[in-house]
Amino acid sequence: MKFTKMHGCGNDYVYVNGFEEKIEDETAAAIKVSDRHFGIGSDGMIIINPSEIADFEMKMYNADGTRAEMCGNGIRCVAKYVYDKGLTDKTSLTIESMGKIKYIDLTIGDDGLVSRVKVDMGAPILEAKDVPVISEMAEAVDDVIEVDGREYRMTCVSMGNPHAVVFIDSDVRDFPLEEVGKKFEIHERFPNRTNTEFAKIIDRHNIDMRVWERGTGETLACGTGCCATAVAAILGGRTDCDVTIHVLGGDIDIYWSGRREDSVYMSGPASTVFDGEIKL
């Protein structure tokens, strides 16, 4: 199988051209290629396919082989892939993931390759039943959750996939993410499990954040998680509408008007690491 290793702010995936490559067992392939000791090493695998409703489809698998609805860093890399590899000459295009369409604008560098990608991620989903999260509140905004005997306050947002955003006062790098993130992911209040962001407000335009992604663990960045974090911060009056989220792998810029019906816009880099071939 031919592949391309790419990343958005360190959130790395193995990308496969589904127009040319046919994979018999995609789940097994995702697990194999993601292994950082015996495989290529990645947070998962994304297959780029034809689409009947958009320019392209991205089919995303987590490192444990489970399917995921959306990946903000992944969709930016898919956009770079299809342009840089000559599958399209459009600088504005659409990409489908699990039936949902995102609208994308590309910035082309002096070398003729994509240097930055802006994505209309759609309006945030805030109704608890649609995130989904079990809550007594219609919207789980600043809701209380008990995890391992400790109370946290979380704001739950879906950006096509579920997120629980927790604001903390301490340095995010000192937070015991591996221990707590696992317990959030499988908590009974999240029927589909959850991604969890632990974030610290720096000022009205900057947030430090670490993320635990369901099915993968801690990643260096999460595009949808950055969107969810910004939405939670803006809803709570903690920041203005334009926010830079500083994750371990870099910076992602988010804009949201604060109106529930308006789209969240995500801008960030996408990078190619190398091309290769692996025997499945």
Side-chain angles (χ1 to χ4, degrees), residues 68-70 100 102 121 123 125 131 157-163 214 224:
E69 303 93 336
M70 174 50 59
K100 305 293 184 181
K102 304 301 180 189
M121 294 292 289
I125 298 168
V131 171
V157 182
S158 173
M159 293 302 308
N161 53 355
H163 294 270
R214 61 177 180 170
T224 54

Side-chain angles (χ1 to χ4, degrees), residues 152-205:
Y152 297 86
R153 288 194 171 272
M154 64 178 181
T155 294
C156 296
V157 182
S158 173
M159 293 302 308
N161 53 355
H163 294 270
V165 181
V166 177
F167 291 102
I168 61 177
D169 295 326
S170 58
D171 189 326
V172 296
R173 286 161 181 78
D174 296 331
F175 189 80
L177 181 66
E178 183 169 353
E179 176 186 343
V180 180
K182 289 178 182 177
K183 293 174 180 177
F184 263 87
E185 177 183 353
I186 62 173
H187 196 282
E188 61 186 7
R189 289 184 59 184
F190 303 107
N192 296 340
R193 298 186 295 161
T194 191
N195 305 284
T196 311
E197 290 73 35
F198 297 91
K200 180 181 180 181
I201 303 295
I202 304 305
D203 57 37
R204 298 291 300 179
H205 296 281

Side-chain angles (χ1 to χ4, degrees), residues 2 27 54 80 89 91 94 118 132 161 217 220 243 268:
K2 293 180 179 179
T27 296
K80 177 176 174 64
D89 59 2
T91 55
T94 55
K118 179 180 179 180
N161 53 355
L220 297 182
V243 185

Side-chain angles (χ1 to χ4, degrees), residues 229-249:
T229 299
V231 167
I234 294 164
L235 275 177
R238 293 177 170 90
T239 64
D240 293 342
C241 295
D242 53 324
V243 185
T244 298
I245 311 294
H246 305 278
V247 290
L248 297 182

